[in-house]
Amino acid sequence: MKIALCCPASLPATQFGGILFLCVDLAREFSKKDNKVTIYTTDLNFANNPKTFSKKLAREEKIENFLIKRTHVWFSFALYYINFGMYFQMMKEEIDILHTVGIRSFQSFVAALVSKKKKIPLIIADQGGLTTHPELKEAGIIKKILYKLQKPILKFIINQSTKIIVANEYEKKIFLEFTNESKIEVIKNGINLEQFKIENKILREKFEINESFILFLGRFNKVKGIDVLLLAINHIKKKIIEKNIKIVIMGEDFGYQEEMLQMIKDLKINKLIKVIKNPSREEVIEAYQECEFLVLPSRWELSPLTPLEGFTFKKPVISTNAHGIPYTIKNNINCILVEPENHEKIGDAMIDLINDKSKIQKLGENGFNQIKTECNSKIMAEKVFELYKKTLNEFNKDNNK
């Protein structure tokens, strides 16, 4: 099968996050079975920010058994990357089925245009909170205008799609506002266990971390609840000092870094925190392995991958019950979930786990079992591929009538 995957970013821009890894993991799994798989994307290099595009990146690159084809981004606004060349590139290709991830992206618009023009089936997946992301309400006036202008494009993409993949029932409810249930398929996100191996451990020495540590990993953005985490640390700082524990805050700046650093200074909790900016993928994986547990006090998530990645090392998570989080991880089974914005409960949950190693172990084991039995890339890819086959058969039957 000739499979085209479309995504706003791909390797080497690993800091872009979940959408990138889902596409790469699907490509990796599909290509193991003699399918011809190509990821069509931008030349995002990331470097120190999400707007670094590089013509020096190879236009075509073979990774393992799949291809990445990049076209240059001529201009961007926020995470909307305009690369016109992708349309002309894809129109020249032989493609059996199209699958785009992140439907607010320009790349998904291109995929829908190609699908319509070439008359091939289109699978779409969002992973971005189609109507529920806080920024849709809290953004500045210019962004709000652009979001409104984008509505007809979103409707076109959804209407052009043959099938819609959602990660959980929460996301399914969002799409039911736009389409009928028969078009929607629930397939859980999966983690590639083979990619979580470390050869050389350098994290502790490089960043001078001698203590046990608790990990926050994510974009430095207010939606991730970093301010709530800092208030929680301040709430329990005496106990953290007694236990000789560090809090590692690891991620990339998405507009909140300066405010975060100022808040750390104002609360006088500098000595309790190690901030690691723009970590490499290897450093992220090592942080998962070395930490005691993760704290992710997000105000919004759709189907977060970070808790699942932590589970690969049997590390439990403290998070919130906001939006899609409780549809992804299970309270008191592999995590502790509290109400969003409640820094005291986040802090109390941290102390609860710090004082109870057996609970850390139990929750971590349960998390790892969820990855083995439900949320790994092999199971995810098998279900997606079965959907491809079913969709192609139905699509061809309808077109041959």
Side-chain angles (χ1 to χ4, degrees), residues 106-335:
F106 178 77
Q107 292 68 43
S108 286
F109 178 52
V110 168
L113 289 172
V114 172
S115 167
K116 187 175 180 66
K117 189 76 173 176
K118 292 175 78 73
K119 296 181 180 179
I120 52 178
L122 173 67
I123 309 291
I124 68 172
D126 185 31
Q127 305 291 332
L130 192 59
T131 59
T132 62
H133 197 288
E135 194 167 278
L136 296 172
K137 294 180 180 179
E138 298 169 7
I141 187 68
I142 295 174
K143 275 191 178 181
K144 283 183 177 178
I145 292 169
L146 290 173
Y147 286 141
K148 284 189 177 181
L149 292 173
Q150 200 181 26
K151 279 187 177 180
I153 296 174
L154 291 176
K155 286 182 180 179
F156 167 68
I157 294 168
I158 293 168
N159 291 337
Q160 180 60 30
S161 68
T162 317
K163 286 288 183 180
I164 301 168
I165 295 175
V166 297
N168 51 45
E169 291 294 329
Y170 170 77
E171 189 179 11
K172 182 177 179 179
K173 291 175 187 176
I174 297 171
F175 271 99
L176 285 173
E177 298 174 22
F178 297 88
T179 189
N180 59 67
E181 190 170 4
S182 63
K183 206 172 187 179
I184 303 171
E185 194 83 17
V186 178
I187 299 176
K188 291 182 179 180
N189 289 336
I191 298 298
N192 190 327
L193 290 166
E194 294 176 4
Q195 299 301 307
F196 287 82
K197 296 174 183 176
I198 305 169
E199 292 184 3
N200 299 312
K201 291 189 176 184
I202 60 168
L203 185 77
R204 287 186 175 277
E205 182 179 352
K206 180 177 178 179
F207 296 103
E208 299 179 341
I209 304 170
N210 299 314
E211 308 89 342
S212 297
F213 67 88
I214 298 164
L215 178 65
F216 168 90
L217 175 70
R219 295 173 174 178
F220 297 162
N221 186 295
K222 196 167 184 179
V223 76
K224 296 296 184 181
I226 298 176
D227 56 326
V228 179
L229 174 60
L230 298 181
L231 290 172
I233 295 167
N234 189 55
H235 173 60
I236 61 170
K237 61 184 175 184
K238 289 183 180 178
K239 293 179 181 178
I240 292 176
I241 292 168
E242 287 173 10
K243 295 289 184 177
N244 192 31
I245 287 176
K246 207 89 168 176
I247 315 297
V248 171
I249 296 177
M250 179 181 268
E252 307 80 28
D253 184 23
F254 275 73
Y256 191 68
Q257 183 170 291
E258 286 188 20
E259 193 172 337
M260 174 186 74
L261 295 174
Q262 186 60 49
M263 189 172 177
I264 291 170
K265 185 178 178 181
D266 291 345
L267 291 172
K268 299 179 181 178
I269 52 176
N270 312 57
K271 293 181 179 179
L272 303 178
I273 294 172
K274 173 69 69 173
V275 176
I276 299 176
K277 305 170 189 175
N278 305 311
S280 67
R281 186 59 179 164
E282 291 76 16
E283 288 164 353
V284 167
I285 293 170
E286 189 176 347
Y288 283 135
Q289 187 179 58
E290 291 291 312
C291 75
E292 298 296 308
F293 55 87
L294 287 84
V295 183
L296 307 167
S298 293
R299 293 180 166 89
W300 178 91
E301 297 284 353
L302 185 69
S303 178
L305 289 180
T306 302
L308 303 182
E309 291 187 342
F311 289 166
T312 63
F313 291 106
K314 302 182 180 180
K315 305 302 168 108
V317 181
I318 296 169
S319 192
T320 71
N321 54 18
H323 298 274
I325 296 171
Y327 294 83
T328 307
I329 54 180
K330 301 165 187 175
N331 189 33
N332 291 325
I333 295 175
N334 51 34
C335 65

Side-chain angles (χ1 to χ4, degrees), residues 227-229 231-233 235 341-348:
D227 56 326
V228 179
L229 174 60
L231 290 172
I233 295 167
H235 173 60
E341 309 283 353
N342 195 324
H343 72 271
E344 291 186 359
K345 285 194 175 181
I346 290 284
D348 293 343

